[in-house]
Amino acid sequence: MEEETHLLNRQEEKRIMADIHLEHVQKSFGAVTVIPALDLEIPDGSFTVLLGPSGCGKSTILRMIAGLEAVTDGEIRIDDRVVNDVSPAERGCAMVFQSYALYPHKTVRGNLSYPLNMAKLPKSEIADRVTEVAGFLELTDLLDRYPRQLSGGQRQRVAMGRAMIRKPEVLLYDEPLSNLDLELRVRLRLEIAEMQRKLKTTAVYVTHDQTEAMTLADTVVVLRSGRIEQAGRPHDLYHRPANIFVAGFIGTPKMNFFKVEKAESKGGKTTLTIGGSKIVLSKKLERDPAQIGVRPEYCALGKGADSATPHVKLNDARLVIQENLGDRSFGFMSSRQGEVTYLIAEGAEPPAEGDQALSFPADRVLCFDGDGNLIA
Amino acid sequence: MNQVGRKNPAGVLTGVRRVFARRTLAQREAIAGYLLLLPFLGGLAVFRFYGFFYNVWLSFMDAGAFGAPKFTGLDNYRKLISDSQVWLSLGNTLKFAAIAVPGVVVVSLLLAVLMQYRFRGESVFRAIVFLPAVCLPTALILVFAWMFQTQYGVVNAAIQAIGGDPVSWLGSSAGVTTVVSLLVIYLSFSVPTIILYAGMQDISPDLYEAATLDGAGPINRFFTITLPLLSPSLFFVIITTAIGTLKLFDVVYVLVPPIDQSVSLNYAFTLVYYYFYVGFVTIGGRGYAAAISLFLLLIIMVVSGILLRMQRRLVHYGEDG
């Protein structure tokens, strides 16, 4: 514990502002533009997660910050220094790779001390720091082992140790947990969160796993085709998604969407016609919604407790599959109104095939306009 | 008809099936495996093992060109130990190897590194790199011989053009050593280059990126990542080149032929050349030549043994090794 505080104190001493600014950053590979124009601010000491489906350019952004990939146009600043033409080694970034990228011919000690050797630190200081970091990450007993003698989780911890031993201004994580099994992933996720809380180093973390993003991030940046769809706190992303893409991408099971056929606003109330059903929302909308979305956990089968509860008719509904998650179960149902997912009430019998109704609280309804942007 | 019937292949097949039928799967696979190996083992037995044991037998004989060999016990080996020409040949052989092996390693490493880069004319470059491997060695040796010819050679012409004195390349020990080493390097770097290039392709780009972020420049990356991870390939190149050079014959034989009395064979004698000289140029030395060839075997085993010992300390085998 003492060692730990020692390390943290030193980290504190050395810490300099390291906010990252990306201004109009563009990246093309030949004729293919991966990132059209990206503006992003990552505040000092924050944990920012870049989240998106594969091929959305999230790793490319990370690699551009690291300097492993050149910027086609625009500007990257770390701590107000333009780093476009600064070599990777001089940017003050350390990176944890998905493949761990441990040096297979070096022991854990050799891996940890490598960046310090390259920085030509005195031998005694290198030894001190290796001891500290190994203690911090519980690697002390493994120092003389080779990477091939370590488990996946241990390897990833060594990779983290090698990244933090230099006391970098910025820590970059490139899908660091993707190669691990679920149990380890959960444990290391907690460890990363814990480490981040102690080190307070600016961190950028790339993942396609939304659970990782939601649990780790101060700010989640949702990307699609090299563009930012939304950047915000995990809670906001979940409950106030900026558009249909984010609403559909975040959350499992996926959000239910319904087409709005007609919308009428009258006296602070809005009446929506959906699949022949009328839903009354007690708010006035600026624009007419084209679609509404409701998360499955707020949806239940039946018309609801009272007549004020909105519900949608489902014609020719059929329960396709029931997914039991232990604490709760979801039903996946097909109908003429489309596929819907709902929370199965405890002890409920599987519904009969035929016409059904899906009800949900009015305040859980999200309205999107014709362009897919959130209205209310 | 009856005889043909007995030999018919279907009958043989039935026999084979019967042999197979009563065995376990593992046994059947073992039998099949050995059957597949048989042609190769047969060739090995006839052309290698028979030759080797005949050679061992011959080394205890006094065998001239004519007549039956006479048993002489260890005479040939006694003669070998006191024969200054043998030690001179061994010295030359080791000297050539000591220069040529590091030469081949350095040249092929450099070429393999260059091959990593994309540049204009890279396919021409690759062709040039592989040219020595597909050319007739004797032709290349003759080209070198002409280039280093004392009076009319292009090398001496170049030396004279910049104001130097012509060198008698094949008339001095240092000259022969230089030309032979250059030739051996030139004749042998192609395949090692390909092996090292392939080895470099196997190193994960992530490691280079990690090292770059860890502050390693190109030189440091080469010495701390490429070289250690290439060590299995490097070791293979070193040991095969070393054995190849210890068996050196064609280069010295074509460069300094035994009939050419104008230059001293002593500069050019390698163990194999001396073996050839004793066994096939002079008369009556076949038994003694056999002893020399076994002496060379001993030398190769000693050198390989030393290299194998070094390998344990210096070579890192793969991630899961």
Side-chain angles (χ1 to χ4, degrees), chain A residues 30 45 57 66 79 86 98 109 132 146-147 160 186 200 219 221 223 234 246 248 255 313 319 329 334 346 361:
Chain A
D79 181 29
V86 177
Q98 180 180 354
R109 190 192 306 280
E132 269 175 53
Y146 284 93
M160 286 196 264
V186 172
K200 295 186 182 66
T219 306
V221 178
L223 292 153
V246 177
M255 188 182 278
K313 268 185 253 165
L319 186 67
S329 309
S334 69
E346 226 167 303

mmCIF file with all atom_site columns, all heavy atoms in Angstrom, chain A residues 30 45 57 66 79 86 98 109 132 146-147 160 186 200 219 221 223 234 246 248 255 313 319 329 334 346 361:
data_model
loop_
_atom_site.group_PDB
_atom_site.id
_atom_site.type_symbol
_atom_site.label_atom_id
_atom_site.label_alt_id
_atom_site.label_comp_id
_atom_site.label_asym_id
_atom_site.label_entity_id
_atom_site.label_seq_id
_atom_site.pdbx_PDB_ins_code
_atom_site.Cartn_x
_atom_site.Cartn_y
_atom_site.Cartn_z
_atom_site.occupancy
_atom_site.B_iso_or_equiv
_atom_site.pdbx_formal_charge
_atom_site.auth_seq_id
_atom_site.auth_comp_id
_atom_site.auth_asym_id
_atom_site.auth_atom_id
_atom_site.pdbx_PDB_model_num
ATOM 1   N N   . GLY A 1 30  ? -5.336  6.380   -49.239 1.00 0.00 ? 30  GLY A N   1
ATOM 2   C CA  . GLY A 1 30  ? -5.519  6.474   -50.682 1.00 0.00 ? 30  GLY A CA  1
ATOM 3   C C   . GLY A 1 30  ? -6.795  7.238   -50.981 1.00 0.00 ? 30  GLY A C   1
ATOM 4   O O   . GLY A 1 30  ? -6.992  8.351   -50.493 1.00 0.00 ? 30  GLY A O   1
ATOM 5   N N   . GLY A 1 45  ? -7.113  14.372  -17.644 1.00 0.00 ? 45  GLY A N   1
ATOM 6   C CA  . GLY A 1 45  ? -7.476  13.469  -16.556 1.00 0.00 ? 45  GLY A CA  1
ATOM 7   C C   . GLY A 1 45  ? -8.765  12.699  -16.763 1.00 0.00 ? 45  GLY A C   1
ATOM 8   O O   . GLY A 1 45  ? -9.177  11.952  -15.893 1.00 0.00 ? 45  GLY A O   1
ATOM 9   N N   . GLY A 1 57  ? -13.714 3.612   -37.492 1.00 0.00 ? 57  GLY A N   1
ATOM 10  C CA  . GLY A 1 57  ? -12.560 4.514   -37.441 1.00 0.00 ? 57  GLY A CA  1
ATOM 11  C C   . GLY A 1 57  ? -12.057 4.802   -36.044 1.00 0.00 ? 57  GLY A C   1
ATOM 12  O O   . GLY A 1 57  ? -11.178 5.625   -35.862 1.00 0.00 ? 57  GLY A O   1
ATOM 13  N N   . ALA A 1 66  ? -1.712  8.561   -31.055 1.00 0.00 ? 66  ALA A N   1
ATOM 14  C CA  . ALA A 1 66  ? -0.439  7.955   -30.660 1.00 0.00 ? 66  ALA A CA  1
ATOM 15  C C   . ALA A 1 66  ? 0.681   8.339   -31.605 1.00 0.00 ? 66  ALA A C   1
ATOM 16  O O   . ALA A 1 66  ? 1.852   8.334   -31.227 1.00 0.00 ? 66  ALA A O   1
ATOM 17  C CB  . ALA A 1 66  ? -0.580  6.437   -30.623 1.00 0.00 ? 66  ALA A CB  1
ATOM 18  N N   . ASP A 1 79  ? -1.931  18.886  -24.846 1.00 0.00 ? 79  ASP A N   1
ATOM 19  C CA  . ASP A 1 79  ? -1.442  19.912  -23.947 1.00 0.00 ? 79  ASP A CA  1
ATOM 20  C C   . ASP A 1 79  ? -1.020  21.156  -24.750 1.00 0.00 ? 79  ASP A C   1
ATOM 21  O O   . ASP A 1 79  ? 0.076   21.686  -24.581 1.00 0.00 ? 79  ASP A O   1
ATOM 22  C CB  . ASP A 1 79  ? -0.255  19.334  -23.141 1.00 0.00 ? 79  ASP A CB  1
ATOM 23  C CG  . ASP A 1 79  ? 0.308   20.334  -22.159 1.00 0.00 ? 79  ASP A CG  1
ATOM 24  O OD1 . ASP A 1 79  ? -0.459  21.183  -21.704 1.00 0.00 ? 79  ASP A OD1 1
ATOM 25  O OD2 . ASP A 1 79  ? 1.515   20.257  -21.890 1.00 0.00 ? 79  ASP A OD2 1
ATOM 26  N N   . VAL A 1 86  ? 5.127   15.415  -34.537 1.00 0.00 ? 86  VAL A N   1
ATOM 27  C CA  . VAL A 1 86  ? 5.961   14.954  -33.427 1.00 0.00 ? 86  VAL A CA  1
ATOM 28  C C   . VAL A 1 86  ? 6.010   13.430  -33.468 1.00 0.00 ? 86  VAL A C   1
ATOM 29  O O   . VAL A 1 86  ? 4.997   12.771  -33.704 1.00 0.00 ? 86  VAL A O   1
ATOM 30  C CB  . VAL A 1 86  ? 5.376   15.443  -32.078 1.00 0.00 ? 86  VAL A CB  1
ATOM 31  C CG1 . VAL A 1 86  ? 6.192   14.897  -30.911 1.00 0.00 ? 86  VAL A CG1 1
ATOM 32  C CG2 . VAL A 1 86  ? 5.327   16.955  -32.036 1.00 0.00 ? 86  VAL A CG2 1
ATOM 33  N N   . GLN A 1 98  ? -4.426  -4.624  -28.089 1.00 0.00 ? 98  GLN A N   1
ATOM 34  C CA  . GLN A 1 98  ? -5.322  -5.772  -27.985 1.00 0.00 ? 98  GLN A CA  1
ATOM 35  C C   . GLN A 1 98  ? -4.536  -7.075  -27.921 1.00 0.00 ? 98  GLN A C   1
ATOM 36  O O   . GLN A 1 98  ? -4.863  -7.990  -27.191 1.00 0.00 ? 98  GLN A O   1
ATOM 37  C CB  . GLN A 1 98  ? -6.267  -5.795  -29.183 1.00 0.00 ? 98  GLN A CB  1
ATOM 38  C CG  . GLN A 1 98  ? -7.227  -6.963  -29.147 1.00 0.00 ? 98  GLN A CG  1
ATOM 39  C CD  . GLN A 1 98  ? -8.154  -6.979  -30.348 1.00 0.00 ? 98  GLN A CD  1
ATOM 40  O OE1 . GLN A 1 98  ? -8.162  -6.064  -31.157 1.00 0.00 ? 98  GLN A OE1 1
ATOM 41  N NE2 . GLN A 1 98  ? -8.938  -8.019  -30.455 1.00 0.00 ? 98  GLN A NE2 1
ATOM 42  N N   . ARG A 1 109 ? 10.105  -8.484  -16.301 1.00 0.00 ? 109 ARG A N   1
ATOM 43  C CA  . ARG A 1 109 ? 10.978  -7.390  -15.887 1.00 0.00 ? 109 ARG A CA  1
ATOM 44  C C   . ARG A 1 109 ? 11.525  -6.648  -17.109 1.00 0.00 ? 109 ARG A C   1
ATOM 45  O O   . ARG A 1 109 ? 11.517  -5.420  -17.167 1.00 0.00 ? 109 ARG A O   1
ATOM 46  C CB  . ARG A 1 109 ? 12.135  -7.944  -15.047 1.00 0.00 ? 109 ARG A CB  1
ATOM 47  C CG  . ARG A 1 109 ? 12.975  -6.888  -14.356 1.00 0.00 ? 109 ARG A CG  1
ATOM 48  C CD  . ARG A 1 109 ? 14.252  -7.515  -13.789 1.00 0.00 ? 109 ARG A CD  1
ATOM 49  N NE  . ARG A 1 109 ? 13.988  -8.648  -12.911 1.00 0.00 ? 109 ARG A NE  1
ATOM 50  C CZ  . ARG A 1 109 ? 13.622  -8.534  -11.650 1.00 0.00 ? 109 ARG A CZ  1
ATOM 51  N NH1 . ARG A 1 109 ? 13.484  -7.350  -11.110 1.00 0.00 ? 109 ARG A NH1 1
ATOM 52  N NH2 . ARG A 1 109 ? 13.390  -9.614  -10.930 1.00 0.00 ? 109 ARG A NH2 1
ATOM 53  N N   . GLU A 1 132 ? 8.030   -0.919  -8.076  1.00 0.00 ? 132 GLU A N   1
ATOM 54  C CA  . GLU A 1 132 ? 6.793   -0.204  -7.760  1.00 0.00 ? 132 GLU A CA  1
ATOM 55  C C   . GLU A 1 132 ? 5.623   -0.680  -8.604  1.00 0.00 ? 132 GLU A C   1
ATOM 56  O O   . GLU A 1 132 ? 4.573   -1.052  -8.085  1.00 0.00 ? 132 GLU A O   1
ATOM 57  C CB  . GLU A 1 132 ? 6.966   1.280   -8.103  1.00 0.00 ? 132 GLU A CB  1
ATOM 58  C CG  . GLU A 1 132 ? 7.461   2.144   -6.990  1.00 0.00 ? 132 GLU A CG  1
ATOM 59  C CD  . GLU A 1 132 ? 7.695   3.542   -7.530  1.00 0.00 ? 132 GLU A CD  1
ATOM 60  O OE1 . GLU A 1 132 ? 6.753   4.091   -8.129  1.00 0.00 ? 132 GLU A OE1 1
ATOM 61  O OE2 . GLU A 1 132 ? 8.814   4.056   -7.374  1.00 0.00 ? 132 GLU A OE2 1
ATOM 62  N N   . TYR A 1 146 ? 8.602   -15.396 -18.649 1.00 0.00 ? 146 TYR A N   1
ATOM 63  C CA  . TYR A 1 146 ? 8.441   -14.905 -20.011 1.00 0.00 ? 146 TYR A CA  1
ATOM 64  C C   . TYR A 1 146 ? 6.952   -14.798 -20.337 1.00 0.00 ? 146 TYR A C   1
ATOM 65  O O   . TYR A 1 146 ? 6.145   -15.537 -19.761 1.00 0.00 ? 146 TYR A O   1
ATOM 66  C CB  . TYR A 1 146 ? 9.133   -15.854 -20.996 1.00 0.00 ? 146 TYR A CB  1
ATOM 67  C CG  . TYR A 1 146 ? 10.627  -15.685 -20.989 1.00 0.00 ? 146 TYR A CG  1
ATOM 68  C CD1 . TYR A 1 146 ? 11.444  -16.472 -20.177 1.00 0.00 ? 146 TYR A CD1 1
ATOM 69  C CD2 . TYR A 1 146 ? 11.230  -14.701 -21.777 1.00 0.00 ? 146 TYR A CD2 1
ATOM 70  C CE1 . TYR A 1 146 ? 12.811  -16.293 -20.145 1.00 0.00 ? 146 TYR A CE1 1
ATOM 71  C CE2 . TYR A 1 146 ? 12.597  -14.514 -21.759 1.00 0.00 ? 146 TYR A CE2 1
ATOM 72  C CZ  . TYR A 1 146 ? 13.389  -15.311 -20.940 1.00 0.00 ? 146 TYR A CZ  1
ATOM 73  O OH  . TYR A 1 146 ? 14.746  -15.110 -20.919 1.00 0.00 ? 146 TYR A OH  1
ATOM 74  N N   . PRO A 1 147 ? 6.590   -13.923 -21.269 1.00 0.00 ? 147 PRO A N   1
ATOM 75  C CA  . PRO A 1 147 ? 5.167   -13.760 -21.598 1.00 0.00 ? 147 PRO A CA  1
ATOM 76  C C   . PRO A 1 147 ? 4.470   -15.072 -21.900 1.00 0.00 ? 147 PRO A C   1
ATOM 77  O O   . PRO A 1 147 ? 3.317   -15.263 -21.530 1.00 0.00 ? 147 PRO A O   1
ATOM 78  C CB  . PRO A 1 147 ? 5.206   -12.864 -22.838 1.00 0.00 ? 147 PRO A CB  1
ATOM 79  C CG  . PRO A 1 147 ? 6.438   -12.059 -22.680 1.00 0.00 ? 147 PRO A CG  1
ATOM 80  C CD  . PRO A 1 147 ? 7.428   -12.957 -21.988 1.00 0.00 ? 147 PRO A CD  1
ATOM 81  N N   . MET A 1 160 ? -0.260  -3.302  -19.328 1.00 0.00 ? 160 MET A N   1
ATOM 82  C CA  . MET A 1 160 ? -0.664  -2.065  -18.660 1.00 0.00 ? 160 MET A CA  1
ATOM 83  C C   . MET A 1 160 ? 0.503   -1.479  -17.865 1.00 0.00 ? 160 MET A C   1
ATOM 84  O O   . MET A 1 160 ? 0.718   -0.273  -17.858 1.00 0.00 ? 160 MET A O   1
ATOM 85  C CB  . MET A 1 160 ? -1.861  -2.328  -17.754 1.00 0.00 ? 160 MET A CB  1
ATOM 86  C CG  . MET A 1 160 ? -3.151  -2.510  -18.523 1.00 0.00 ? 160 MET A CG  1
ATOM 87  S SD  . MET A 1 160 ? -4.561  -2.361  -17.446 1.00 0.00 ? 160 MET A SD  1
ATOM 88  C CE  . MET A 1 160 ? -4.896  -4.051  -17.051 1.00 0.00 ? 160 MET A CE  1
ATOM 89  N N   . VAL A 1 186 ? -14.380 -8.931  -17.035 1.00 0.00 ? 186 VAL A N   1
ATOM 90  C CA  . VAL A 1 186 ? -15.071 -8.185  -15.987 1.00 0.00 ? 186 VAL A CA  1
ATOM 91  C C   . VAL A 1 186 ? -14.087 -7.779  -14.906 1.00 0.00 ? 186 VAL A C   1
ATOM 92  O O   . VAL A 1 186 ? -14.083 -6.648  -14.432 1.00 0.00 ? 186 VAL A O   1
ATOM 93  C CB  . VAL A 1 186 ? -16.218 -9.040  -15.399 1.00 0.00 ? 186 VAL A CB  1
ATOM 94  C CG1 . VAL A 1 186 ? -16.819 -8.360  -14.182 1.00 0.00 ? 186 VAL A CG1 1
ATOM 95  C CG2 . VAL A 1 186 ? -17.275 -9.288  -16.462 1.00 0.00 ? 186 VAL A CG2 1
ATOM 96  N N   . LYS A 1 200 ? -5.267  9.023   -12.476 1.00 0.00 ? 200 LYS A N   1
ATOM 97  C CA  . LYS A 1 200 ? -5.842  10.244  -13.043 1.00 0.00 ? 200 LYS A CA  1
ATOM 98  C C   . LYS A 1 200 ? -5.104  10.706  -14.297 1.00 0.00 ? 200 LYS A C   1
ATOM 99  O O   . LYS A 1 200 ? -4.971  11.881  -14.557 1.00 0.00 ? 200 LYS A O   1
ATOM 100 C CB  . LYS A 1 200 ? -5.864  11.363  -12.012 1.00 0.00 ? 200 LYS A CB  1
ATOM 101 C CG  . LYS A 1 200 ? -6.782  11.051  -10.839 1.00 0.00 ? 200 LYS A CG  1
ATOM 102 C CD  . LYS A 1 200 ? -6.881  12.256  -9.921  1.00 0.00 ? 200 LYS A CD  1
ATOM 103 C CE  . LYS A 1 200 ? -7.736  11.979  -8.722  1.00 0.00 ? 200 LYS A CE  1
ATOM 104 N NZ  . LYS A 1 200 ? -7.113  10.956  -7.833  1.00 0.00 ? 200 LYS A NZ  1
ATOM 105 N N   . THR A 1 219 ? -16.704 9.959   -20.383 1.00 0.00 ? 219 THR A N   1
ATOM 106 C CA  . THR A 1 219 ? -17.384 10.373  -21.595 1.00 0.00 ? 219 THR A CA  1
ATOM 107 C C   . THR A 1 219 ? -17.309 9.245   -22.613 1.00 0.00 ? 219 THR A C   1
ATOM 108 O O   . THR A 1 219 ? -16.238 8.682   -22.829 1.00 0.00 ? 219 THR A O   1
ATOM 109 C CB  . THR A 1 219 ? -16.694 11.607  -22.215 1.00 0.00 ? 219 THR A CB  1
ATOM 110 O OG1 . THR A 1 219 ? -16.610 12.613  -21.220 1.00 0.00 ? 219 THR A OG1 1
ATOM 111 C CG2 . THR A 1 219 ? -17.472 12.118  -23.412 1.00 0.00 ? 219 THR A CG2 1
ATOM 112 N N   . VAL A 1 221 ? -17.804 8.404   -26.574 1.00 0.00 ? 221 VAL A N   1
ATOM 113 C CA  . VAL A 1 221 ? -17.968 9.009   -27.884 1.00 0.00 ? 221 VAL A CA  1
ATOM 114 C C   . VAL A 1 221 ? -18.430 7.907   -28.826 1.00 0.00 ? 221 VAL A C   1
ATOM 115 O O   . VAL A 1 221 ? -17.697 6.952   -29.066 1.00 0.00 ? 221 VAL A O   1
ATOM 116 C CB  . VAL A 1 221 ? -16.634 9.614   -28.379 1.00 0.00 ? 221 VAL A CB  1
ATOM 117 C CG1 . VAL A 1 221 ? -16.804 10.211  -29.766 1.00 0.00 ? 221 VAL A CG1 1
ATOM 118 C CG2 . VAL A 1 221 ? -16.129 10.651  -27.393 1.00 0.00 ? 221 VAL A CG2 1
ATOM 119 N N   . LEU A 1 223 ? -19.221 6.513   -32.362 1.00 0.00 ? 223 LEU A N   1
ATOM 120 C CA  . LEU A 1 223 ? -18.785 6.827   -33.720 1.00 0.00 ? 223 LEU A CA  1
ATOM 121 C C   . LEU A 1 223 ? -19.484 5.942   -34.730 1.00 0.00 ? 223 LEU A C   1
ATOM 122 O O   . LEU A 1 223 ? -19.804 4.788   -34.452 1.00 0.00 ? 223 LEU A O   1
ATOM 123 C CB  . LEU A 1 223 ? -17.278 6.588   -33.836 1.00 0.00 ? 223 LEU A CB  1
ATOM 124 C CG  . LEU A 1 223 ? -16.391 7.546   -33.056 1.00 0.00 ? 223 LEU A CG  1
ATOM 125 C CD1 . LEU A 1 223 ? -15.088 6.867   -32.710 1.00 0.00 ? 223 LEU A CD1 1
ATOM 126 C CD2 . LEU A 1 223 ? -16.141 8.817   -33.843 1.00 0.00 ? 223 LEU A CD2 1
ATOM 127 N N   . PRO A 1 234 ? -22.248 8.308   -19.928 1.00 0.00 ? 234 PRO A N   1
ATOM 128 C CA  . PRO A 1 234 ? -22.932 7.039   -20.218 1.00 0.00 ? 234 PRO A CA  1
ATOM 129 C C   . PRO A 1 234 ? -24.426 7.115   -19.939 1.00 0.00 ? 234 PRO A C   1
ATOM 130 O O   . PRO A 1 234 ? -25.235 6.630   -20.727 1.00 0.00 ? 234 PRO A O   1
ATOM 131 C CB  . PRO A 1 234 ? -22.244 6.053   -19.279 1.00 0.00 ? 234 PRO A CB  1
ATOM 132 C CG  . PRO A 1 234 ? -20.893 6.613   -19.056 1.00 0.00 ? 234 PRO A CG  1
ATOM 133 C CD  . PRO A 1 234 ? -21.037 8.098   -19.107 1.00 0.00 ? 234 PRO A CD  1
ATOM 134 N N   . VAL A 1 246 ? -27.645 6.010   -32.154 1.00 0.00 ? 246 VAL A N   1
ATOM 135 C CA  . VAL A 1 246 ? -27.148 5.824   -30.789 1.00 0.00 ? 246 VAL A CA  1
ATOM 136 C C   . VAL A 1 246 ? -28.176 5.061   -29.967 1.00 0.00 ? 246 VAL A C   1
ATOM 137 O O   . VAL A 1 246 ? -27.838 4.137   -29.218 1.00 0.00 ? 246 VAL A O   1
ATOM 138 C CB  . VAL A 1 246 ? -26.816 7.187   -30.138 1.00 0.00 ? 246 VAL A CB  1
ATOM 139 C CG1 . VAL A 1 246 ? -26.367 6.993   -28.701 1.00 0.00 ? 246 VAL A CG1 1
ATOM 140 C CG2 . VAL A 1 246 ? -25.748 7.918   -30.935 1.00 0.00 ? 246 VAL A CG2 1
ATOM 141 N N   . GLY A 1 248 ? -30.270 2.891   -30.931 1.00 0.00 ? 248 GLY A N   1
ATOM 142 C CA  . GLY A 1 248 ? -30.267 1.479   -31.294 1.00 0.00 ? 248 GLY A CA  1
ATOM 143 C C   . GLY A 1 248 ? -28.970 0.792   -30.943 1.00 0.00 ? 248 GLY A C   1
ATOM 144 O O   . GLY A 1 248 ? -28.943 -0.406  -30.653 1.00 0.00 ? 248 GLY A O   1
ATOM 145 N N   . MET A 1 255 ? -33.394 -1.209  -28.456 1.00 0.00 ? 255 MET A N   1
ATOM 146 C CA  . MET A 1 255 ? -34.602 -0.405  -28.251 1.00 0.00 ? 255 MET A CA  1
ATOM 147 C C   . MET A 1 255 ? -35.674 -0.770  -29.287 1.00 0.00 ? 255 MET A C   1
ATOM 148 O O   . MET A 1 255 ? -35.355 -1.127  -30.420 1.00 0.00 ? 255 MET A O   1
ATOM 149 C CB  . MET A 1 255 ? -34.232 1.068   -28.382 1.00 0.00 ? 255 MET A CB  1
ATOM 150 C CG  . MET A 1 255 ? -35.333 2.035   -28.012 1.00 0.00 ? 255 MET A CG  1
ATOM 151 S SD  . MET A 1 255 ? -34.820 3.744   -28.247 1.00 0.00 ? 255 MET A SD  1
ATOM 152 C CE  . MET A 1 255 ? -33.908 4.072   -26.763 1.00 0.00 ? 255 MET A CE  1
ATOM 153 N N   . LYS A 1 313 ? -50.969 -1.564  -30.380 1.00 0.00 ? 313 LYS A N   1
ATOM 154 C CA  . LYS A 1 313 ? -51.537 -2.855  -30.751 1.00 0.00 ? 313 LYS A CA  1
ATOM 155 C C   . LYS A 1 313 ? -50.523 -3.652  -31.560 1.00 0.00 ? 313 LYS A C   1
ATOM 156 O O   . LYS A 1 313 ? -49.800 -3.103  -32.392 1.00 0.00 ? 313 LYS A O   1
ATOM 157 C CB  . LYS A 1 313 ? -52.798 -2.657  -31.599 1.00 0.00 ? 313 LYS A CB  1
ATOM 158 C CG  . LYS A 1 313 ? -54.071 -2.623  -30.760 1.00 0.00 ? 313 LYS A CG  1
ATOM 159 C CD  . LYS A 1 313 ? -55.276 -2.551  -31.659 1.00 0.00 ? 313 LYS A CD  1
ATOM 160 C CE  . LYS A 1 313 ? -55.862 -1.140  -31.588 1.00 0.00 ? 313 LYS A CE  1
ATOM 161 N NZ  . LYS A 1 313 ? -56.800 -0.848  -32.666 1.00 0.00 ? 313 LYS A NZ  1
ATOM 162 N N   . LEU A 1 319 ? -44.663 -15.000 -30.111 1.00 0.00 ? 319 LEU A N   1
ATOM 163 C CA  . LEU A 1 319 ? -43.430 -14.992 -29.331 1.00 0.00 ? 319 LEU A CA  1
ATOM 164 C C   . LEU A 1 319 ? -42.393 -15.849 -30.058 1.00 0.00 ? 319 LEU A C   1
ATOM 165 O O   . LEU A 1 319 ? -42.570 -17.046 -30.221 1.00 0.00 ? 319 LEU A O   1
ATOM 166 C CB  . LEU A 1 319 ? -43.693 -15.551 -27.927 1.00 0.00 ? 319 LEU A CB  1
ATOM 167 C CG  . LEU A 1 319 ? -42.505 -15.450 -26.970 1.00 0.00 ? 319 LEU A CG  1
ATOM 168 C CD1 . LEU A 1 319 ? -42.187 -13.996 -26.648 1.00 0.00 ? 319 LEU A CD1 1
ATOM 169 C CD2 . LEU A 1 319 ? -42.773 -16.226 -25.699 1.00 0.00 ? 319 LEU A CD2 1
ATOM 170 N N   . SER A 1 329 ? -36.364 -11.829 -17.737 1.00 0.00 ? 329 SER A N   1
ATOM 171 C CA  . SER A 1 329 ? -36.427 -12.460 -19.053 1.00 0.00 ? 329 SER A CA  1
ATOM 172 C C   . SER A 1 329 ? -37.016 -11.474 -20.042 1.00 0.00 ? 329 SER A C   1
ATOM 173 O O   . SER A 1 329 ? -37.876 -10.657 -19.689 1.00 0.00 ? 329 SER A O   1
ATOM 174 C CB  . SER A 1 329 ? -37.313 -13.695 -19.025 1.00 0.00 ? 329 SER A CB  1
ATOM 175 O OG  . SER A 1 329 ? -36.934 -14.529 -17.973 1.00 0.00 ? 329 SER A OG  1
ATOM 176 N N   . SER A 1 334 ? -42.634 -11.245 -32.844 1.00 0.00 ? 334 SER A N   1
ATOM 177 C CA  . SER A 1 334 ? -42.830 -10.686 -34.182 1.00 0.00 ? 334 SER A CA  1
ATOM 178 C C   . SER A 1 334 ? -44.304 -10.339 -34.337 1.00 0.00 ? 334 SER A C   1
ATOM 179 O O   . SER A 1 334 ? -45.165 -10.995 -33.739 1.00 0.00 ? 334 SER A O   1
ATOM 180 C CB  . SER A 1 334 ? -42.407 -11.695 -35.246 1.00 0.00 ? 334 SER A CB  1
ATOM 181 O OG  . SER A 1 334 ? -43.309 -12.777 -35.250 1.00 0.00 ? 334 SER A OG  1
ATOM 182 N N   . GLU A 1 346 ? -42.871 -11.392 -14.171 1.00 0.00 ? 346 GLU A N   1
ATOM 183 C CA  . GLU A 1 346 ? -42.474 -12.592 -13.437 1.00 0.00 ? 346 GLU A CA  1
ATOM 184 C C   . GLU A 1 346 ? -43.631 -13.591 -13.347 1.00 0.00 ? 346 GLU A C   1
ATOM 185 O O   . GLU A 1 346 ? -44.760 -13.220 -13.034 1.00 0.00 ? 346 GLU A O   1
ATOM 186 C CB  . GLU A 1 346 ? -42.014 -12.210 -12.035 1.00 0.00 ? 346 GLU A CB  1
ATOM 187 C CG  . GLU A 1 346 ? -40.717 -12.914 -11.665 1.00 0.00 ? 346 GLU A CG  1
ATOM 188 C CD  . GLU A 1 346 ? -40.096 -12.298 -10.419 1.00 0.00 ? 346 GLU A CD  1
ATOM 189 O OE1 . GLU A 1 346 ? -39.843 -11.080 -10.419 1.00 0.00 ? 346 GLU A OE1 1
ATOM 190 O OE2 . GLU A 1 346 ? -39.891 -13.064 -9.476  1.00 0.00 ? 346 GLU A OE2 1
ATOM 191 N N   . PRO A 1 361 ? -44.611 3.211   -20.051 1.00 0.00 ? 361 PRO A N   1
ATOM 192 C CA  . PRO A 1 361 ? -44.899 4.507   -19.436 1.00 0.00 ? 361 PRO A CA  1
ATOM 193 C C   . PRO A 1 361 ? -44.685 5.635   -20.446 1.00 0.00 ? 361 PRO A C   1
ATOM 194 O O   . PRO A 1 361 ? -43.732 5.593   -21.229 1.00 0.00 ? 361 PRO A O   1
ATOM 195 C CB  . PRO A 1 361 ? -43.891 4.623   -18.300 1.00 0.00 ? 361 PRO A CB  1
ATOM 196 C CG  . PRO A 1 361 ? -43.286 3.278   -18.149 1.00 0.00 ? 361 PRO A CG  1
ATOM 197 C CD  . PRO A 1 361 ? -43.451 2.563   -19.444 1.00 0.00 ? 361 PRO A CD  1
#
